[in-house]
Amino acid sequence: MAGFPLIVTEFISDNLPPILVNFTLNMNNGTLTLTYNEPILFNTFQVTGITIQSQPISPDDSYELTYGVISNPNSLVVKIVLSGSDLNNIKKTNIATSELDTFISLSADMIRDSSIDTLGNLATVNAVPVTEFIPDTTPPILLNFILDLFDEILTLTFNEPIYLPELNINQLTLRSSCNLNSLNLTLSGGVIASTSDSIVVPISLLSSDISLIVGTIGLANDESNSYIQIPSNTARDYGYNNLTFVPCLKTGTHIADSDRMILLSFVLNINSSKLTLTFDDAANTASFDATGITLQNSVTRTPDKFHTLTSTSQTSSVPGAIVVIDISPADLFAINTIADLGLSPNDTLLTIQASTIDDLLGIDVLAITDGNALSATQVILDMQIPVAELFKLNLQDGLIQILFSEPVNPDSLIFDNGLAGSITLQDSLSPPISNSLSLTPTTNVRRELDGLTITIVLVQSDLDYIKTSALLGTLLTNTFLFLPAGSISDFSQNGIQEVTLSSSEIIGDDEGPFLISFIFDISDAAILSLTFSEAVDPNTLNVTTIALMNDPGRISNEIILSGAESSLAIQSVLNITLLDTDKYLLQQTRELATSTDDLYITYPSIMIQDYSQNPVIPILPDDALQVSEFIPDASNPQLQSFMLNLSNTVLSLTFNDVIDINTLASSEISLHADSVGILSFNLTGGQPIGTDSEVVDILLLFMDANYIKSNPNFAQTTLYISILSTLANDTTSNPVVPSSFLPSSVIITDTIPPVISSFNLNLNTTQLSLTFDEIIDIDTLNLSTLVIGSSPQGGEQYRFEYLSLLTTTNSYIVDVFINPNDILALSMFNFLATQKGNTFLFLDEDLVSDFNNNPSLELTTGIQVNQFIRDTIRPYVISYSLDLSTRELSIFFSEAIQLDTLVLPSISIQNAATNSTSMLRLTSPLSLRYANDSSPIITLSDYDFNILVSQLALAVSDNTTYLIINTGAVLDTSDNPSLPLTEPSFTPTVFTPDFISPMLVEFTLDLNSDLLTLTFSETINLFTFDSKAITLLSDKSFVPMTFYTLQLSGSFVNFSTVIELHFFSQDINALKADYLLATSVDNTYVSHTDQLVKDMNNNLVVERLLGDALQVTDVILDTTSPILERFFIDLEQGFV
């Protein structure tokens, strides 16, 4: 019936498993299609139960699927889209490459049919062959790439496995962009780092490619400039499908290199002066600093066996892993001069500082430190022969400079190379050669900073020879240098070949010679040996410009040479033999030319010239040159002649050298009346006169002189002398040469009358003792001529009548007995011979004669008694002396006195014995001391001295100098008051005038009062004043800016230490008109000659010359308005 379901009568269930009828495999899209004999349940399907294998039974290769996407569920046909990993893994095996190697087997429980029946025994059945096989015909595609410069790996990622054995790495090209003209680099090779995955392929890049990559700025430095280009034949998949062409693909990831660059090796090429460094990375050569590289001969540096490059070594290499350094000549020279360095890899090692060079990222190179030095890969030695290219002659500095093609060893220079010849400066390039000089060997050879130039410093004799030659070294056409073969070598012992060079340049001498040193030899003749910096022309010598001084900048002891005995120049050494007068003057000057410490030389530029007519460099006093060697006088002085003056009893000895007067021992002299010494007399002594000189004057002792005068055997026109070596020394302590029986040159007989020098009167012993200045002939004595007076002019007088002679032999002292009658007569006088002050001796001219028949002179001015003895003994003045140079008054009393009891105001000096017109009463002394117990020395105060010298008639000579001492001026040691000296009757025993020159000590200028005030060191004589000797200056230099010399004298005050000079209008107006002079203390100085003024003893004032001008103490400027003094009207001419 229609419409009603019919129930099955019998139902037989499906108990047969589904059967795989066929399958197809599409390797292009990865689809596996299974066809069953009945529908299957989709949800029971297990893809992992499928195995694809190469053979039906016991396959060599098989692959079990891991995952797939199933379509067409619950159908006869099941489509499975294989997972990418399964598809790629199958492609990498030896299965499913064709229908012949494509089979499938299924596991028993991988699927059920709709009756939930499994495959059952189908799993154990032989694998089912593929019904339809579609091979892989799709080219592989590069999906991405990673450039890892840190690990130096390029990673390629494909969409499917590729066949790695046929991957052609050297077809991979890195580009900076997709532009056709962009930077690019095709790899030279590489190594596949891992074969575990042929989809992601890591390639280890070659170091050379890495260096090029990192060395190319702008290529693959970061993601922005990292692209790859791959041709299609670079790779294929397992289905022999070539890679899809990759024209330009940007990197997905770029990993920069952060490793420190490493120096791998280096090569030292001495021959080409190159140092080649190879790094593991590209180096930025712009950052190169050669000072970080040290070459050494061992792993650990040893002293003097290493050299650190200087900044003169540079590189011109482009950035990259190989850097070539151009070693500078200076560095190459330094390397070559170190023994055992740079000869082989064994002795050539290198250290490098981190700061030496950076990689392209600015990262320092990895340092190689001392102790870990890197050995050279190769050392290439120098095999080239150096070539001398040109030379220069520098006469200015005394140099020959030779330029070579490469650095040479200056220590290898051989001046005389035997048969090969000598280094020679010659006047021709080739024979004939007229003028030549074989250079004197010297070690003063150096290399210049350029490393290629050798400088020979000529020895002075060679330089002088060239400079003195007119035909050699003066022009390029007469200046050539011959270098023999092998005369110099480079540091690899490659010697030069013989060559004659033309001079490329001659630098002439335009500098004056200068004095290097000088030697003074005064051992015999005085020779001044001057060593100059170059040869000097003796014909230009001006010896009178040479000054010798004892202290630079001072002229306290200076001698200007007056001439020369001779001069001889040996190139740069000039020997000058001094005149004897200059030699003696030097020897007399005790503080000059006694050693190296007190001898200096100065001279102006006109002293001498070199052969190029360059004047010598002057030596000014402030820069005086000290003697380098002083040869003292070693010769013994010899007596040349002698003369004896019996009038003044002076014996004069003339030597050939200056005698040190302080060493004189007159007792070493013997005088002889004959030439054999039968009649001889040895001097007992003598007083030298004067200062050191070659002529020694000896004042004979009184006794010696009188012996000679009184001995008739010596009354001859010729005497003889003998001296011992101990007589004296010269000024350098050389004793005199002994001399025997040298005849006299002159004998001057005695023509001086005898003089009573003093007398004593002892009233207690009634004895008169006369002392003469020489031995007198007692037989000629006439005692009746003696008169005693009370004053030097006579006063009360008494002529002795009863004198008798006590002395019986000839002598200079005559003792006379005074008869009591004479004593009685004397006592009758109240003011005669009662004290020393009124006891004076007078005599007639016929009193006595000496042994040369010279009668004594009449004594009209009485001689005061030297010793006066009364019953009551009191001290008295025996004599006195006045020395105005030292301002000392020395008084000699008859006995010791107490100095502290001396009453100075009781002492006066007057200009005459009586009726004096000038007198000085002493006030207080500047100092007071003993000469001996009976002799006080009074140093006059400035006040007393100036009062004394201001009186023109007082103390200007011994005849105007008389001493007055009041009673009790001093006490003797027994407190007996001294006898007075109120009536002076004798002049000083020694009167020494004032020899001290006055000095201008300060001055002031009053322009308001027209007054110039000059203050001197002592009273000056205004009658000698000459204002025209005064010059006012603006400064104290030797060449003042302006100056004015006074023209007219002015009025001034009386004798004094101060002169007030009132200017006449001419002078004061001239001063006021000069606005650069006398406007302040700073531009007001005065100089003057020694004719300005004299002191009261006629001593010229000490001059002040230019350079020593005295600055004013005060300047009072002119504040007085000018006054019109007169005017004149000329009505004819119409002017006022």
Side-chain angles (χ1 to χ4, degrees):
M1 290 169 124
F4 291 96
L6 180 64
I7 298 174
V8 70
T9 303
E10 182 181 6
F11 179 79
I12 300 172
S13 62
D14 184 9
N15 56 6
L16 295 176
I19 297 173
L20 178 63
V21 177
N22 58 62
F23 78 94
T24 63
L25 180 59
N26 188 336
M27 294 298 291
N28 267 328
N29 56 19
T31 300
L32 175 64
T33 303
L34 305 178
T35 302
Y36 289 90
N37 61 345
E38 61 178 299
I40 61 171
L41 294 177
F42 171 75
N43 57 0
T44 65
F45 193 88
Q46 300 292 329
V47 176
T48 56
I50 301 174
T51 298
I52 298 176
Q53 55 194 55
S54 59
Q55 295 168 325
I57 301 173
S58 303
D60 294 330
D61 292 302
S62 62
Y63 181 79
E64 294 181 0
L65 299 183
T66 61
Y67 178 76
V69 178
I70 302 171
S71 62
N72 301 328
N74 302 320
S75 171
L76 297 177
V77 178
V78 178
K79 289 185 178 183
I80 302 172
V81 179
L82 302 179
S83 67
S85 60
D86 285 347
L87 179 62
N88 288 331
N89 287 333
I90 294 172
K91 288 181 178 180
K92 290 191 296 182
T93 63
N94 291 323
I95 58 176
T97 61
S98 67
E99 294 178 349
L100 299 177
D101 58 6
T102 304
F103 297 85
I104 192 171
S105 62
L106 307 174
S107 64
D109 57 352
M110 65 157 290
I111 196 171
R112 295 177 183 272
D113 60 11
S114 57
S115 300
I116 316 184
D117 292 324
T118 63
L119 293 178
N121 293 331
L122 182 62
T124 61
V125 181
N126 292 341
V128 177
V130 67
T131 305
E132 182 182 4
F133 178 80
I134 300 174
D136 180 14
T137 60
T138 303
I141 299 172
L142 178 66
L143 301 178
N144 191 12
F145 78 96
I146 297 172
L147 181 58
D148 186 349
L149 295 179
F150 179 80
D151 291 325
E152 300 180 358
I153 293 176
L154 173 65
T155 303
L156 305 177
T157 300
F158 298 91
N159 66 334
E160 62 174 302
I162 62 169
Y163 186 61
L164 295 180
E166 294 186 9
L167 178 60
N168 193 353
I169 298 175
N170 57 10
Q171 293 193 154
L172 303 179
T173 300
L174 294 175
R175 305 189 69 91
S176 62
S177 72
C178 293
N179 192 306
L180 292 178
N181 297 321
S182 62
L183 299 174
N184 61 85
L185 172 66
T186 300
L187 302 183
S188 59
V191 178
I192 298 174
S194 173
T195 59
S196 61
D197 186 359
S198 58
I199 294 177
V200 179
V201 181
I203 301 171
S204 294
L205 300 177
L206 298 181
S207 297
S208 59
D209 287 340
I210 286 293
S211 297
L212 291 174
I213 293 170
V214 298
T216 305
I217 299 175
L219 174 63
N221 301 136
D222 54 38
E223 289 186 8
S224 66
N225 56 17
S226 299
Y227 293 81
I228 196 168
Q229 177 181 332
I230 305 177
S232 60
N233 61 351
T234 302
R236 68 173 177 84
D237 60 14
Y238 281 85
Y240 293 91
N241 299 300
N242 284 342
L243 181 68
T244 301
F245 172 60
V246 181
C248 184
L249 178 64
K250 186 177 182 181
T251 183
T253 302
H254 181 283
I255 300 174
D257 179 14
S258 60
D259 270 351
R260 298 280 289 276
M261 183 171 59
I262 299 174
L263 176 62
L264 301 176
S265 63
F266 75 95
V267 174
L268 176 62
N269 190 331
I270 299 295
N271 199 42
S272 63
S273 304
K274 305 288 186 183
L275 177 64
T276 302
L277 308 178
T278 302
F279 297 93
D280 69 339
D281 203 345
N284 181 8
T285 52
S287 67
F288 177 70
D289 180 7
T291 61
I293 294 177
T294 298
L295 293 172
Q296 54 197 61
N297 77 332
S298 59
V299 173
T300 300
R301 193 174 302 160
T302 56
D304 302 325
K305 297 294 183 181
F306 68 91
H307 175 68
T308 300
L309 298 186
T310 66
S311 58
T312 58
S313 292
Q314 299 288 331
T315 180
S316 57
S317 297
V318 298
I322 298 177
V323 178
V324 179
I325 300 169
D326 296 314
I327 303 175
S328 69
D331 284 335
L332 187 62
F333 174 83
I335 294 168
N336 286 330
T337 56
I338 299 175
D340 305 327
L341 175 62
L343 302 179
S344 70
N346 294 330
D347 62 14
T348 307
L349 298 94
L350 179 145
T351 64
I352 186 169
Q353 296 179 6
S355 59
T356 303
I357 196 166
D358 299 339
D359 62 14
L360 295 178
L361 298 177
I363 300 174
D364 290 345
V365 69
L366 184 65
I368 298 176
T369 58
D370 188 31
N372 300 292
L374 179 66
S375 296
T377 304
Q378 183 182 10
V379 175
I380 301 173
L381 299 178
D382 181 13
M383 302 301 292
Q384 295 180 351
I385 295 176
V387 176
E389 297 178 343
L390 57 86
F391 89 99
K392 299 178 182 179
L393 176 61
N394 185 338
L395 295 176
Q396 183 73 39
D397 301 319
L399 309 175
I400 286 181
Q401 293 183 308
I402 309 170
L403 177 66
F404 291 88
S405 59
E406 63 174 290
V408 293
N409 185 359
D411 296 333
S412 70
L413 185 65
I414 302 173
F415 285 86
D416 186 354
N417 202 16
L419 295 178
S422 301
I423 299 178
T424 303
L425 189 70
Q426 55 196 42
D427 64 357
S428 177
L429 186 63
S430 59
I433 297 171
S434 302
N435 297 279
S436 64
L437 171 67
S438 294
L439 298 189
T440 303
T442 176
T443 58
N444 199 350
V445 181
R446 66 176 185 265
R447 177 193 59 86
E448 298 302 330
L449 294 177
D450 64 1
L452 302 176
T453 301
I454 294 298
T455 296
I456 301 173
V457 180
L458 296 172
V459 298
Q460 190 62 48
S461 59
D462 286 356
L463 180 60
D464 290 341
Y465 178 86
I466 299 169
K467 288 184 176 182
T468 56
S469 174
L471 301 175
L472 178 64
T474 59
L475 302 170
L476 295 179
T477 55
N478 65 9
T479 307
F480 302 88
L481 184 67
F482 171 72
L483 298 175
S487 55
I488 195 167
S489 305
D490 62 16
F491 288 92
S492 297
Q493 289 77 50
N494 299 309
I496 67 168
Q497 295 180 347
E498 178 182 305
V499 65
T500 300
L501 300 175
S502 298
S503 176
S504 63
E505 182 181 3
I506 297 176
I507 300 175
D509 179 14
D510 60 2
E511 288 187 359
F514 60 88
L515 184 62
I516 297 174
S517 63
F518 75 99
I519 299 172
F520 187 58
D521 184 352
I522 200 171
S523 59
D524 188 9
I527 298 176
L528 196 62
S529 182
L530 309 178
T531 299
F532 292 91
S533 58
E534 58 178 293
V536 292
D537 185 356
N539 296 321
T540 64
L541 176 64
N542 186 359
V543 72
T544 58
T545 64
I546 299 175
L548 301 178
M549 60 194 312
N550 72 332
D551 192 0
R554 299 176 57 191
I555 56 173
S556 56
N557 287 288
E558 179 187 54
I559 291 177
I560 298 176
L561 300 187
S562 59
E565 188 70 29
S566 63
S567 61
L568 175 64
I570 304 176
Q571 292 186 345
S572 60
V573 179
L574 178 66
N575 294 320
I576 302 173
T577 302
L578 273 60
L579 296 176
D580 285 343
T581 53
D582 289 340
K583 174 186 175 182
Y584 294 152
L585 188 56
L586 282 171
Q587 292 175 327
Q588 290 169 351
T589 309
R590 283 305 187 95
E591 296 180 355
L592 174 62
T594 63
S595 69
T596 57
D597 295 330
D598 60 7
L599 182 57
Y600 296 79
I601 191 170
T602 69
Y603 52 77
S605 60
I606 61 172
M607 191 266 283
I608 201 167
Q609 297 177 355
D610 63 13
Y611 282 88
S612 298
Q613 298 182 344
N614 297 309
V616 69
I617 304 300
I619 297 180
L620 301 179
D622 288 344
D623 301 314
L625 180 66
Q626 188 174 14
V627 67
S628 59
E629 182 179 357
F630 179 84
I631 302 174
D633 182 8
S635 61
N636 301 93
Q638 294 183 338
L639 181 62
Q640 305 293 305
S641 64
F642 84 96
M643 64 176 290
L644 177 62
N645 188 336
L646 291 174
S647 288
N648 58 13
T649 66
V650 172
L651 175 64
S652 297
L653 309 179
T654 300
F655 293 86
N656 66 343
D657 215 341
V658 174
I659 299 300
D660 182 354
I661 203 71
N662 295 320
T663 65
L664 186 69
S666 303
S667 59
E668 304 299 286
I669 300 175
S670 297
L671 293 175
H672 312 285
D674 54 73
S675 61
V676 293
I678 296 176
L679 299 173
S680 302
F681 174 71
N682 293 332
L683 299 186
T684 61
Q687 177 64 43
I689 302 173
T691 58
D692 299 343
S693 174
E694 72 279 10
V695 178
V696 178
D697 291 332
I698 303 172
L699 180 64
L700 298 180
L701 294 182
F702 182 79
M703 295 303 297
D704 290 349
N706 282 303
Y707 175 82
I708 296 171
K709 287 181 179 181
S710 62
N711 191 323
N713 293 319
F714 288 89
Q716 305 181 48
T717 58
T718 300
L719 295 177
Y720 300 86
I721 194 169
S722 296
I723 62 172
L724 300 178
S725 62
T726 52
L727 168 63
N729 298 333
D730 62 15
T731 53
T732 52
S733 301
N734 299 306
V736 300
V737 176
S739 179
S740 300
F741 305 109
L742 179 70
S744 61
S745 58
V746 177
I747 298 293
I748 300 175
T749 59
D750 180 16
T751 60
I752 306 300
V755 176
I756 292 180
S757 58
S758 65
F759 77 98
N760 297 329
L761 179 60
N762 190 333
L763 295 180
N764 284 329
T765 61
T766 65
Q767 184 172 323
L768 176 66
S769 180
L770 305 176
T771 300
F772 292 87
D773 63 349
E774 61 178 304
I775 291 179
I776 51 93
D777 185 354
I778 198 171
D779 293 334
T780 65
L781 188 63
N782 183 6
L783 297 178
S784 63
T785 63
L786 296 177
V787 175
I788 289 290
S790 62
S791 71
Q793 286 71 36
E796 295 182 313
Q797 294 185 347
Y798 173 75
R799 182 180 296 272
F800 289 105
E801 298 180 6
Y802 306 101
L803 298 179
S804 59
L805 190 62
L806 295 175
T807 301
T808 59
T809 60
N810 295 324
S811 175
Y812 69 96
I813 298 177
V814 177
D815 291 329
V816 177
F817 176 72
I818 306 175
N819 187 278
N821 294 327
D822 287 331
I823 293 295
L824 178 61
L826 283 175
S827 65
M828 300 299 293
F829 295 91
N830 294 326
F831 303 103
L832 177 64
T834 61
Q835 58 183 0
K836 186 174 182 178
N838 58 10
T839 304
F840 296 86
L841 183 66
F842 299 84
L843 54 91
D844 298 334
E845 62 180 345
D846 57 349
L847 169 66
V848 72
S849 298
D850 62 14
F851 280 89
N852 286 289
N853 296 319
N854 297 307
S856 60
L857 299 178
E858 180 184 6
L859 191 61
T860 58
T861 300
I863 301 174
Q864 189 177 21
V865 66
N866 182 55
Q867 185 177 20
F868 182 88
I869 300 176
R870 295 187 354 168
D871 291 341
T872 301
I873 299 175
R874 295 170 63 184
Y876 57 90
V877 174
I878 298 174
S879 63
Y880 69 95
S881 64
L882 180 60
D883 188 337
L884 293 180
S885 291
T886 61
R887 304 185 180 184
E888 291 180 345
L889 172 64
S890 300
I891 304 175
F892 303 92
F893 287 91
S894 59
E895 59 181 297
I897 54 94
Q898 302 179 56
L899 188 62
D900 57 355
T901 66
L902 183 64
V903 180
L904 208 62
S906 65
I907 300 175
S908 300
I909 299 174
Q910 62 188 39
N911 69 328
T914 59
N915 301 320
S916 63
T917 59
S918 300
M919 185 187 74
L920 166 69
R921 183 179 300 277
L922 301 186
T923 56
S924 59
L926 183 64
S927 66
L928 187 64
R929 70 182 190 277
Y930 278 118
N932 53 55
D933 289 343
S934 62
S935 304
I937 297 177
I938 303 167
T939 301
L940 302 182
S941 66
D942 290 343
Y943 174 80
D944 288 347
F945 178 76
N946 286 317
I947 293 296
L948 179 67
V949 298
S950 65
Q951 303 184 60
L952 296 179
L954 178 62
V956 295
S957 67
D958 54 353
N959 293 326
T960 58
T961 305
Y962 294 88
L963 192 67
I964 297 176
I965 300 179
N966 296 333
T967 300
V970 72
L971 302 178
D972 64 12
T973 55
S974 299
D975 292 331
N976 294 311
S978 63
L979 294 172
L981 188 61
T982 57
E983 297 182 1
S985 60
F986 64 92
T987 57
T989 304
V990 178
F991 177 82
T992 304
D994 178 14
F995 293 119
I996 306 300
S997 296
M999 293 181 62
L1000 177 63
V1001 295
E1002 70 173 8
F1003 77 100
T1004 60
L1005 180 62
D1006 188 344
L1007 297 175
N1008 219 23
S1009 302
D1010 302 343
L1011 185 65
L1012 176 66
T1013 303
L1014 306 175
T1015 302
F1016 294 87
S1017 58
E1018 61 176 288
T1019 298
I1020 50 89
N1021 187 347
L1022 288 181
F1023 294 126
T1024 66
F1025 186 78
D1026 183 3
S1027 64
K1028 295 180 181 180
I1030 297 175
T1031 299
L1032 291 171
L1033 311 99
S1034 61
D1035 56 80
K1036 66 182 300 183
S1037 66
F1038 287 98
V1039 184
M1041 182 177 297
T1042 184
F1043 61 90
Y1044 178 75
T1045 301
L1046 300 187
Q1047 301 299 312
L1048 299 172
S1049 299
S1051 59
F1052 36 77
V1053 301
N1054 206 345
F1055 303 128
S1056 173
T1057 58
V1058 179
I1059 294 179
E1060 291 184 351
L1061 178 64
H1062 290 271
F1063 291 116
F1064 285 132
S1065 60
Q1066 176 181 339
D1067 287 338
I1068 191 63
N1069 288 332
L1071 284 177
K1072 292 180 179 181
D1074 192 338
Y1075 66 91
L1076 296 177
L1077 177 64
T1079 61
S1080 69
V1081 173
D1082 295 331
N1083 64 359
T1084 306
Y1085 294 80
V1086 71
S1087 68
H1088 61 80
T1089 68
D1090 58 2
Q1091 299 302 310
L1092 172 63
V1093 74
K1094 297 179 182 179
D1095 63 12
M1096 303 304 295
N1097 287 283
N1098 215 33
N1099 296 307
L1100 292 172
V1101 70
V1102 177
E1103 64 183 358
R1104 283 186 174 272
L1105 301 179
L1106 294 180
D1108 188 38
L1110 180 66
Q1111 188 173 16
V1112 71
T1113 303
D1114 187 25
V1115 174
I1116 299 176
L1117 299 179
D1118 180 16
T1119 59
T1120 303
S1121 300
I1123 299 173
L1124 178 63
E1125 295 181 342
R1126 61 183 178 272
F1127 69 94
F1128 176 75
I1129 299 177
D1130 188 339
L1131 295 179
E1132 276 191 12
Q1133 302 295 327
F1135 64 83
V1136 177

